[in-house]
Amino acid sequence: MTEAEIRQLVLGIIADIVPDQDLSQIRDDEPLRDQLGLDSMDFLDIVMELRRRYRMQIPEEDYPRLATVAGTIEYLKPRLAQLAPG
């Protein structure tokens, strides 16, 4: 899965969790909580949805790595590669 594809899946999950947010101006290197006004439950919902959709474990100590889109892409890229057939 490419970084662009991972970015789209992350933004899709965010759109599902906070559907009223405009994601067109999201900056990949800035914290999502600051940009979108997410509370801790919104953030946790995003993490839980990643876990559910891709059947992966995300330990709580890794949550800070998911604070930005860029960090989430970096975190997910090797994990999603393991899930790909082949």
Side-chain angles (χ1 to χ4, degrees):
M1 194 174 263
T2 68
E3 288 186 11
E5 291 169 330
I6 296 170
R7 184 179 194 277
Q8 287 306 314
L9 78 83
V10 169
L11 292 180
I13 289 172
I14 294 169
D16 289 346
I17 303 298
V18 287
D20 297 333
Q21 292 288 341
D22 176 14
L23 303 180
S24 65
Q25 301 299 316
I26 289 289
R27 293 170 304 281
D28 290 356
D29 58 345
E30 292 188 29
L32 289 166
R33 286 185 181 189
D34 295 345
Q35 293 184 76
L36 301 174
L38 300 178
D39 63 24
S40 57
M41 286 306 298
D42 292 331
F43 181 77
L44 189 57
D45 287 344
I46 292 167
V47 173
M48 292 299 117
E49 188 61 19
L50 282 168
R51 291 176 66 172
R52 186 188 70 75
R53 285 190 193 182
Y54 298 100
R55 294 186 172 93
M56 67 175 63
Q57 293 300 313
I58 303 175
E60 190 172 345
E61 61 266 17
D62 289 350
Y63 290 4
R65 297 176 62 190
L66 307 176
T68 65
V69 173
T72 303
I73 292 168
E74 181 181 320
Y75 184 83
L76 292 177
K77 190 171 184 180
R79 287 158 181 81
L80 293 175
Q82 292 176 350
L83 299 177

